[in-house]
Amino acid sequence: MNLLNFLRRRGSAPVARERLQVLLAYERTNRGHSELLTILREEIVAVIARHITLEHDKVVVKMDRGDTVSTLEIDIEIPNKAEAQLVGA
Amino acid sequence: MSKTIVVTSGKGGVGKTTTTAALGAALAQSGQKVVLIDFDVGLRNLDLIMGAERRVVYDLINVVQGVAKLPQALIKDKRVETLWLLPASQTRDKDALTEDGVARVVRELGETFDWVICDSPAGIERGATLAMRYADAAVIVTNPEVSSVRDSDRIIGLLDSKTEKAEKGQRIEKHILITRFDAARAARGEMLSIEDVLEILSTPLLGIIPESQEVLRASNLGSPVTLSDPACGPARAYLDAARRLKGEQVPMATPGDKKRLIDRLFGRRAA
């Protein structure tokens, strides 16, 4: 048992290496990602605000990254009275 | 021509300040004119490592804000003729640093010094991004340990996007400096090897600084390790790294080669 533990302890560097490779592959693809979402959110809000009065914190932009495809989810809450607030109407 | 270097890492405690002092002193020992700038506003330590803590009158923020002129703030090293220090402020916070102010100071220093070496604070906040902002080259200090390697990867991303060179579409020169390396532990598979770190970060190696008691001794004495004991392992590694920074071809000595000889005698594969 002690020998088994000893052998297992020897191998911690390869574990470190593998964990880092997996983690950094993920972090590198997501780098700049949060910035993209901020930009998208601002521009979407700007376009919609041209037509409808809305509260900025009611706009949620989320990205779900999958292996082959990713989805962009945009959730905008518009109060029912907004129709009456159509800009320029 | 003057060269601006940032010594950075993301993670704290990996040896940025030790490295700034040792590399700066090594370059100055070879006759180059060197200035070290401490960017760790509020937590300055380069003055202490350089043994100049009682000689600080003005600091980087005073110069950035125009309260003091550069020659008033620069501290001349007492051991090496061509080595100077611009300390950080201990009382102000990092928001007192402005991009324009830093640009002005770095450029002005570049007119008189061969090397402007910026000691970055830990983290990826304003102090760290300003320290790297005007650099031509970066020395990324990395320990062979998972959190340090991860943070170095993050810093490499910032160097490639947030520096003035990167924004102009130019490439910033990047070098990995591995510190606190224990060759025996790496050979036993207990510590990430040099090859592991370089492969993961895919950045060229500037040097390998062995884990050594001499580094603590040097900081106790307030002297860069290349001055306190130029013959010891870490000092020789820093002196070699400084030559590589100057563009010289210096063979990479792996620390602990003597121990490896024993491994070889017993037929074990080293590294």
Side-chain angles (χ1 to χ4, degrees):
Chain A
M1 196 60 200
N2 277 341
L3 183 68
L4 197 66
N5 279 344
F6 177 71
L7 288 174
R8 211 176 281 152
R9 279 169 57 108
R10 279 172 67 97
S12 68
V15 177
R17 178 196 159 96
E18 197 186 315
R19 287 177 61 219
L20 269 172
Q21 279 170 331
V22 171
L23 174 71
L24 294 182
Y26 174 79
E27 286 189 343
R28 283 171 192 155
T29 51
N30 285 277
R31 201 178 276 162
H33 189 166
S34 58
E35 214 165 311
L36 171 72
L37 286 188
T38 311
I39 295 166
L40 278 176
R41 190 176 176 282
E42 274 170 22
E43 294 191 3
I44 289 165
V45 168
V47 168
I48 296 177
R50 251 187 266 152
H51 304 284
I52 302 169
T53 311
L54 51 77
E55 286 175 46
H56 284 213
D57 57 357
K58 292 291 164 62
V59 179
V60 179
V61 179
K62 274 191 220 165
M63 190 175 281
D64 208 355
R65 193 166 278 265
D67 286 338
T68 47
V69 285
S70 300
T71 54
L72 182 67
E73 182 186 325
I74 303 166
D75 188 351
I76 305 170
E77 192 182 305
I78 302 169
N80 284 337
K81 56 176 183 175
E83 270 180 88
Q85 297 170 342
L86 276 177
V87 179
Chain B
M1 217 192 80
S2 169
K3 200 159 187 181
T4 303
I5 308 270
V6 60
V7 178
T8 184
S9 69
K11 191 179 185 314
V14 295
K16 283 182 297 297
T17 302
T18 301
T19 296
T20 304
L23 277 183
L27 286 166
Q29 282 164 277
S30 74
Q32 304 270 300
K33 224 177 157 197
V34 181
V35 61
L36 314 176
I37 313 179
D38 190 348
F39 272 83
D40 205 345
V41 177
L43 288 170
R44 76 167 172 226
N45 272 321
L46 187 56
D47 55 332
L48 193 55
I49 297 298
M50 293 294 294
E53 69 277 12
R54 294 200 296 180
R55 300 169 61 205
V56 177
V57 181
Y58 293 109
D59 56 55
L60 174 61
I61 301 232
N62 295 145
V63 178
V64 163
Q65 295 186 334
V67 175
K69 293 218 172 348
L70 258 178
Q72 293 175 291
L74 287 173
I75 302 169
K76 189 175 191 287
D77 191 85
K78 286 189 166 164
R79 298 149 296 207
V80 188
E81 191 77 357
T82 54
L83 183 59
W84 298 72
L85 166 70
L86 179 56
S89 170
Q90 185 69 334
T91 49
R92 309 295 290 271
D93 68 83
K94 61 192 184 308
D95 296 328
L97 282 179
T98 61
E99 204 165 286
D100 291 345
V102 171
R104 193 168 46 79
V105 171
V106 170
R107 303 241 150 90
E108 205 177 320
L109 289 169
E111 285 165 19
T112 35
F113 288 92
D114 300 315
W115 299 87
V116 179
I117 305 183
C118 306
D119 183 20
S120 173
I124 51 170
E125 309 283 309
R126 191 178 169 77
T129 51
L130 278 175
M132 68 169 69
R133 181 81 189 139
Y134 303 100
D136 301 306
V139 173
I140 303 142
V141 182
T142 307
N143 290 169
E145 177 273 327
V146 285
S147 56
S148 174
V149 175
R150 180 202 212 170
D151 292 358
S152 293
D153 191 71
R154 185 82 196 277
I155 281 290
I156 289 170
L158 290 181
L159 287 165
D160 286 333
S161 62
K162 302 279 186 202
T163 52
E164 193 186 47
K165 276 213 147 181
E167 283 175 7
K168 282 186 187 163
Q170 297 164 341
R171 277 191 79 80
I172 179 163
E173 202 185 292
K174 298 184 295 280
H175 308 272
I176 298 288
L177 185 80
I178 297 179
T179 55
R180 311 200 69 161
F181 183 70
D182 185 331
R185 299 196 72 188
R188 289 197 300 267
E190 295 170 2
M191 179 184 263
L192 284 168
S193 69
I194 303 294
E195 294 78 13
D196 287 341
V197 176
L198 296 183
E199 192 192 321
I200 290 166
L201 296 176
S202 43
T203 303
L205 181 65
L206 182 70
I208 307 159
I209 314 300
E211 170 81 67
S212 165
Q213 296 177 353
E214 285 306 319
V215 175
L216 178 60
R217 183 172 172 269
S219 81
N220 286 344
L221 298 175
S223 167
V225 71
T226 54
L227 288 171
S228 63
D229 184 0
C232 72
R236 278 184 288 126
Y238 275 120
L239 288 163
D240 282 353
R243 286 172 61 198
R244 289 185 199 105
L245 263 187
K246 289 197 287 182
E248 288 179 40
Q249 296 290 327
V250 184
M252 193 73 67
T254 312
D257 269 347
K258 277 176 237 155
K259 281 175 202 154
R260 287 185 174 196
L261 184 65
I262 296 167
D263 282 343
R264 247 178 278 146
L265 285 176
F266 287 97
R268 250 183 285 168
R269 253 193 79 220

